[in-house]
Amino acid sequence: MGLVAGILMLSAGGFAPVSAQEIPNDFSAIVRQKLPAVVAITTRQIIHDQTMLDDFLNPFDSRGPAQPQVREALGSGFVVSPEGYIVTNNHVVADSTEIHVVFSDKETSPARLVGRDPATDIAVLKVDPRPNMTTTAWGDSDAMQPGAWTIAIGSPFGLGGTVTVGVLSARSRDIQAGPYDDFLQTDASINRGNSGGPLFNARGEVIGVNTAIVSPSGGSIGIGFAVPSRTARSVADQLIRTGRIERGFIGVRLQEVTPSLAQALGISSTKGALVASSSPAVRQRRPACNRGM
């Protein structure tokens, strides 16, 4: 980022020095501590549908219906307990016939799918515990504000142990990926293979699970999205306990009350949530702002 600890920032009272704690010299200590807890994930899938095959298939091939194909996929994940539980994305492991994880020391272990939740794109794997297994700690995604440091570690394009650094670009992004869209946006470089890897804060706590990017080319352009830890932790804990997800439904879709939205609605506070839409059974004539949430 090219920032120096002694840089001066413009404040309401003029120029003031920024403390060294606010702008780290580097993130090597955090990476050194957390890298052993981040794994690469390799999967094997049997593909029966011609339309699901790799782009490398010749679209003009006239040899008749394609035979079932074996496809290998890559992703990332992170260890959340010394018992060997690993969090990743659902789309990394869905429909896999084989799953293996590769640790930072290059040791490979077979993994068992504990459970998955397509609605939030979170899945949990289980491997046999290793001696002195390094684990990650969950952080508070709600405490993250735009501009805060973010660190992504994963295996883009199979390059395990790749570290990228950026900032939190925005919160509560709805990218039309599912019914519970509430993504963190970061400009830390995320590419194919980073899916399921952790997004850390500057204290080395997991505040998100890297899930998606916006890119016309398939490579990083600085717009990546992560499932916030508030959601990922709750889903992962339930999958570990029961192997499945059960959730209630009240028939409404909520939206964060931003300052601009509060101004438009003529309210003085951004507390609460906006009922953006409702199911037909409970549909209202106009949106309502619930200030007590």
Side-chain angles (χ1 to χ4, degrees):
M1 291 299 174
L3 297 178
V4 181
I7 193 171
L8 298 179
M9 289 185 62
L10 182 62
S11 65
F15 287 95
V18 178
S19 67
Q21 288 80 7
E22 294 178 1
I23 304 179
N25 290 328
D26 61 45
F27 300 92
S28 58
I30 293 174
V31 172
R32 186 167 54 250
Q33 295 170 4
K34 302 304 178 182
L35 188 61
V38 181
V39 300
I41 297 176
T42 62
T43 66
R44 291 170 62 87
Q45 301 171 332
I46 304 298
I47 305 300
H48 297 276
D49 188 347
Q50 174 75 22
T51 61
M52 296 176 63
L53 295 177
D54 291 339
D55 294 337
F56 295 107
L57 264 181
N58 183 357
F60 302 104
D61 193 340
S62 59
R63 291 175 296 178
Q67 298 299 313
Q69 300 287 322
V70 176
R71 183 175 69 178
E72 295 186 353
L74 298 171
S76 304
F78 54 99
V79 183
V80 294
S81 80
E83 288 79 24
Y85 289 102
I86 294 171
V87 172
T88 186
N89 278 148
N90 170 69
H91 76 260
V92 171
V93 297
D95 303 320
S96 297
T97 57
E98 295 181 26
I99 305 174
H100 288 81
V101 300
V102 183
F103 291 90
S104 60
D105 60 5
K106 308 304 181 183
E107 180 180 334
T108 300
S109 298
R112 173 177 62 88
L113 179 62
V114 174
R116 59 192 185 92
D117 181 34
T120 57
D121 202 17
I122 295 297
V124 174
L125 308 176
K126 177 73 165 61
V127 298
D128 290 337
R130 308 173 76 200
N132 303 314
M133 178 172 279
T134 303
T135 64
T136 57
W138 292 104
D140 184 2
S141 56
D142 288 343
M144 295 291 291
Q145 297 298 322
W149 290 108
T150 56
I151 309 164
I153 304 180
S155 300
F157 304 107
L159 300 172
T162 296
V163 181
T164 56
V165 176
V167 298
L168 185 71
S169 303
R171 294 172 46 182
S172 300
R173 288 300 199 202
D174 185 346
I175 62 173
Q176 306 298 310
Y180 302 103
D181 277 21
D182 185 28
F183 289 94
L184 303 178
Q185 180 183 334
T186 179
D187 69 349
S189 182
I190 296 173
N191 289 283
R192 292 178 180 177
N194 274 111
S195 289
L199 186 68
F200 294 101
N201 61 18
R203 292 187 296 274
E205 301 165 331
V206 177
I207 48 91
V209 180
N210 299 320
T211 298
I213 62 174
V214 170
S215 173
S217 64
S220 174
I221 60 171
I223 304 177
F225 301 98
V227 179
S229 60
R230 166 174 37 83
T231 300
R233 181 178 187 178
S234 174
V235 171
D237 287 348
Q238 190 173 162
L239 289 175
I240 291 172
R241 290 196 312 269
T242 67
R244 64 183 186 276
I245 296 297
E246 295 181 355
R247 50 173 62 92
F249 178 67
I250 61 175
V252 298
R253 179 172 173 271
L254 302 181
Q255 178 180 339
E256 181 183 12
V257 182
T258 62
S260 59
L261 188 56
Q263 182 179 9
L265 293 172
I267 57 178
S268 59
S269 173
T270 59
K271 293 182 179 179
L274 176 73
V275 179
S277 62
S278 61
S279 65
V282 294
R283 185 174 301 279
Q284 301 173 354
R285 291 187 177 180
R286 59 184 179 180
C289 183
N290 185 343
R291 302 175 185 174
M293 294 185 65

